[in-house]
Amino acid sequence: LAAKIALDDLVLGIELANGSRFAADGEVERVVEELDRCRALFDEQGFLEKPDTYHLAPPDLVDPELRRRRVAGRAIEVLRFESGYAPRPGEPGRERWLGYATCREAHAYVLRQPGEGRPWLVCTNGYRMGHAGIDVRVFERFATRLGLNVLIPVLPLHGPRRRSRQSGTGFLGLDVVDTLHAEAQAVWDIRRLLSWIRAQSPRGIGGLGLSLGGYTTSLYAGLVDDLDCVVAGIPLVDIPRMLDRHAVPHELAQARRRGFSLERAREVLAVVSPLSYTPRVPKANRMIFGAVADRLVTPDQVRDLWRHWDEPEIVWYQGGHVTFRVERGVYAGIDRTLRAAGLVDP
């Protein structure tokens, strides 16, 4: 267990060492001003009272580009399409977000089985993931061992959609309005991908997400009606609380001195918070897993989602955030959920 904790601490230390330098670059005042305007706009439009009304229904995805490629020793399809997402007119940060050219095109990796009418599992990557070589290795067991069709969406600002050297940079940080738009676009893109899956007459559809992907999966499970099951793995659920714990301390302190408020950030991010939505999946087909010694997504975050979901099955493993792949109990719990939902035969 100590070794597993050390791995988490190593990852966390690298993140802190590569601090954003956010509070020193003159951007804090802009972020504070955008948060205030967002809060006022969302109150005026009724989004704070009814968060689901913030999310517009995207058009169905028809005829995306599909190219075959070999990754991790197996043939996959790389799916691409024009996202079409845009923040609402007048929404703070809209023009900046639309200027992130790499986010305009959506990507997903597809592992498809022979034959028609297969069940599908949508597996959403975690923070800093998004590269095919990583994501396919993490999720391929659901195709190779269980015979599911697997679709792996790439979150905005990740993998081929990144806008800096490191995947994920810009998604989580004190620039909260960018986080708002990144998560809103993630849900928009996945809802379009779900429409593409539905057009293929699947036997069933499940959602599974890890870490930041668990956040996204928990969110869209409260917006779509036809998921057969949902699994949230080591899920982040409260971004302001995460920032309070993991932001570079002197940067957060300096931002607060200039008027930055985590409580105001929580109000604005409520429209994209899993804790604002109840999954439209029967309780028996909800499942959560978390690590008792997680240093990145601490156990209280996992516990809060479990309570919010009316305490469905939860698997706690003796490990840290990055060691879930070696925990047998995790996959046993996921497989039980998939079987109960009819996606995997007994």
Side-chain angles (χ1 to χ4, degrees):
L1 181 59
K4 293 174 181 179
I5 295 170
L7 286 174
D8 275 11
D9 279 338
L10 176 63
V11 173
L12 185 57
I14 291 171
E15 288 291 330
L16 289 172
N18 293 330
S20 65
R21 307 293 179 264
F22 173 85
D25 64 7
E27 290 292 293
V28 177
E29 289 77 10
R30 172 186 61 78
V31 169
V32 170
E33 187 265 343
E34 286 184 351
L35 275 174
D36 288 342
R37 286 198 292 124
C38 259
R39 172 63 174 78
L41 177 65
F42 288 5
D43 187 31
E44 177 187 334
Q45 297 294 321
F47 302 147
L48 300 182
E49 184 178 351
K50 295 182 178 179
D52 59 304
T53 60
Y54 175 76
H55 298 272
L56 300 174
D60 288 349
L61 176 61
V62 179
D63 197 26
E65 175 188 305
L66 285 162
R67 292 186 179 180
R68 296 190 67 82
R69 176 180 164 192
R70 290 200 69 82
V71 173
R74 63 172 294 120
I76 72 164
E77 294 171 285
V78 177
L79 184 153
R80 299 165 66 177
F81 63 96
E82 189 71 23
S83 167
Y85 169 80
R88 293 167 181 268
E91 195 170 337
R94 170 186 163 92
E95 297 306 319
R96 183 178 65 259
W97 186 261
L98 292 177
Y100 298 158
T102 54
C103 286
R104 296 177 194 161
E105 186 174 63
H107 293 247
Y109 311 122
V110 182
L111 288 70
R112 220 184 314 206
Q113 308 293 330
E116 300 295 325
R118 290 270 189 173
W120 284 78
L121 186 63
V122 179
C123 299
T124 307
N125 60 276
Y127 184 58
R128 300 296 191 197
M129 295 174 65
H131 297 291
I134 298 173
D135 293 8
V136 169
R137 286 183 174 88
V138 170
F139 296 119
E140 67 178 346
R141 77 172 294 273
F142 300 111
T144 57
R145 295 192 183 186
L146 303 184
L148 300 171
N149 287 340
V150 174
L151 184 142
I152 308 169
V154 178
L155 294 174
L157 301 174
H158 284 74
R161 309 179 76 181
R162 67 190 186 279
R163 60 183 181 88
S164 65
R165 181 182 58 84
Q166 196 169 17
S167 179
T169 296
F171 201 114
L172 294 175
L174 299 182
D175 202 342
V176 173
V177 172
D178 270 4
T179 297
L180 167 74
H181 295 147
E183 191 57 41
Q185 181 165 18
V187 171
W188 168 281
D189 291 345
I190 291 173
R191 292 173 76 183
R192 296 200 68 192
L193 288 163
L194 286 169
S195 73
W196 177 76
I197 291 174
R198 291 185 200 108
Q200 301 175 59
S201 302
R203 197 177 84 197
I205 306 174
L208 182 151
L210 299 175
S211 191
L212 178 58
Y215 184 106
T216 303
T217 300
S218 303
L219 175 55
Y220 76 74
L223 294 169
V224 301
D225 293 317
D226 56 351
L227 288 183
D228 293 282
C229 65
V230 58
V231 177
I234 44 176
L236 175 68
V237 296
D238 189 329
I239 290 174
R241 193 191 313 169
M242 179 274 298
L243 291 174
D244 194 32
R245 285 178 171 151
H246 294 326
V248 179
H250 73 271
E251 293 184 4
L252 179 58
Q254 190 172 353
R256 280 173 158 158
R257 285 194 294 270
R258 298 183 187 181
F260 180 79
S261 166
L262 287 173
E263 285 308 310
R264 181 55 50 89
R266 178 172 282 106
E267 289 181 297
V268 168
L269 291 176
V271 297
V272 292
S273 169
L275 300 179
S276 298
Y277 301 83
T278 300
R280 303 179 187 183
V281 175
K283 177 182 172 181
N285 292 349
R286 306 172 193 170
M287 184 260 181
I288 299 171
F289 64 87
V292 299
D294 198 327
R295 297 278 287 144
L296 283 80
V297 175
T298 47
D300 55 295
Q301 300 239 359
V302 181
R303 174 208 62 199
D304 287 355
L305 183 66
W306 174 70
R307 290 175 175 170
H308 181 68
W309 278 11
D310 198 24
E311 302 184 1
E313 178 180 4
I314 186 167
V315 172
W316 288 105
Y317 64 91
Q318 299 292 314
H321 193 75
V322 300
T323 61
F324 69 92
R325 292 185 68 194
V326 301
E327 309 293 344
R328 294 183 180 180
V330 166
Y331 289 109
I334 295 172
D335 294 354
R336 280 195 301 274
T337 304
L338 297 175
R339 285 195 296 270
L343 270 67
V344 174
D345 293 330

